[in-house]
Amino acid sequence: MEKILIVEDDNNINQMIYETFTKAGYSCTSAYSGTEALLRIESGEFGLIILDLMLPGMSGDEVLKNIRKKSGVPVIVLSAKDELDTKVDLLTLGANDYMTKPFELKELEARALVQLRDNKTTHDGEIIEFNQLKYDIQKKQVSINGKNIPLTVHELKILELLLRHPGQVFSKNEIYEYAWDDYYIGEDKTINVHISNIRQKIKKVTDSEYIETVWGLGFKLASL
């Protein structure tokens, strides 16, 4: 499960971000000052940091500088400042993305997904497991109870996305952009066909359903 650090001194905004990402299946930690943020970073590893600029005591700029001295973890900066110079300065300091307040939580979630995806490194021998299903990332091999399931490149990407976020529902848009690394061009049968193919291939080795359709929203890993 990906861990996200939310650095925001406004309690309401911090809580809204926390709830949004927790519901999406992420493990979230909140910090309300720059000093607290650095202490949190020292004591644990995070896959993403959402950082507000206007913090009490140590500013977001200083926090970002300190982070970049020790880590390449993706950082999305939140700020009420919309000036181009501010954005350029922050990107130069090492921010990966920048959002101006007020912002839509859905857009923040989408941008976070992009950063987490782009930062994901494939480790030799890394294996993702979910119940009896195993996905060997290096070998690009999926098996259930030791029986291999031959999947195409796009089918593997779709399954990998669901496996990495077992509690999250993904829309067709999000699945397409992750698996094809391209913009979703609208309603078509591409995702449905690929999900159906994965299900059929899994069905050949087990009666268990591994992918659940959430009507009107998208797809997620089934709760077995």
Side-chain angles (χ1 to χ4, degrees):
M1 183 182 293
E2 293 286 3
K3 296 175 65 177
I4 297 176
L5 177 63
I6 304 160
V7 189
E8 166 63 68
D9 66 310
D10 185 302
N11 187 65
N12 290 332
I13 296 176
N14 196 314
Q15 189 63 28
M16 284 192 298
I17 297 173
Y18 183 96
E19 290 177 359
T20 295
F21 283 92
T22 300
K23 287 178 181 177
Y26 299 96
S27 173
C28 298
T29 300
S30 292
Y32 298 89
S33 70
T35 303
E36 183 184 1
L38 294 179
L39 288 173
R40 295 283 190 184
I41 293 167
E42 287 287 342
S43 61
E45 289 188 10
F46 295 94
L48 174 70
I49 297 173
I50 298 172
L51 174 66
D52 181 41
L53 271 191
M54 304 300 289
L55 296 170
M58 184 183 295
S59 69
D61 305 63
E62 289 301 316
V63 174
L64 181 58
K65 288 178 184 177
N66 276 275
I67 292 172
R68 284 295 169 256
K69 289 177 182 177
K70 304 175 181 179
S71 171
V73 59
V75 177
I76 298 178
V77 169
L78 306 177
S79 176
K81 298 179 181 179
D82 193 27
E83 292 86 0
L84 178 61
D85 287 346
T86 301
K87 295 180 182 179
V88 171
D89 289 344
L90 285 165
L91 292 171
T92 301
L93 283 176
N96 297 79
D97 202 353
Y98 184 105
M99 289 191 71
T100 305
K101 294 181 178 180
F103 55 85
E104 294 290 336
L105 287 168
K106 196 66 180 175
E107 182 181 357
L108 176 59
E109 188 179 343
R111 292 189 183 214
L113 178 62
V114 170
Q115 293 302 327
L116 288 165
R117 179 193 67 194
D118 291 348
N119 189 56
K120 182 63 65 179
T121 55
T122 301
H123 302 286
D124 289 345
E126 181 185 6
I127 295 176
I128 307 175
E129 297 188 42
F130 180 76
N131 293 309
Q132 302 304 313
L133 186 150
K134 294 184 179 181
Y135 179 24
D136 188 314
I137 301 295
Q138 184 183 24
K139 295 179 179 178
K140 302 297 181 187
Q141 188 176 82
V142 174
S143 64
I144 295 178
N145 293 322
K147 298 177 181 177
N148 290 336
I149 301 171
L151 298 179
T152 67
V153 172
H154 290 130
E155 290 166 1
L156 284 170
K157 291 290 288 183
I158 290 171
L159 189 59
E160 179 182 349
L161 177 63
L162 299 179
L163 286 169
R164 289 195 183 280
H165 309 279
Q168 184 171 352
V169 178
F170 288 95
S171 67
K172 291 181 182 179
N173 187 334
E174 292 167 330
I175 293 173
Y176 187 93
E177 291 185 0
Y178 182 88
W180 276 263
D181 198 22
D182 197 1
Y183 291 108
Y184 187 59
I185 57 178
E187 180 57 41
D188 60 31
K189 297 181 179 179
T190 302
I191 301 303
N192 288 342
V193 169
H194 280 76
I195 293 289
S196 177
N197 288 342
I198 296 171
R199 282 172 167 160
Q200 289 175 20
K201 292 176 180 180
I202 289 176
K203 202 72 173 177
K204 290 180 179 179
V205 301
T206 179
D207 289 329
S208 299
E209 290 286 348
Y210 276 82
I211 300 178
E212 176 183 340
T213 299
V214 183
W215 297 107
L217 295 176
F219 302 93
K220 65 186 287 291
L221 282 187
S223 300
L224 301 180

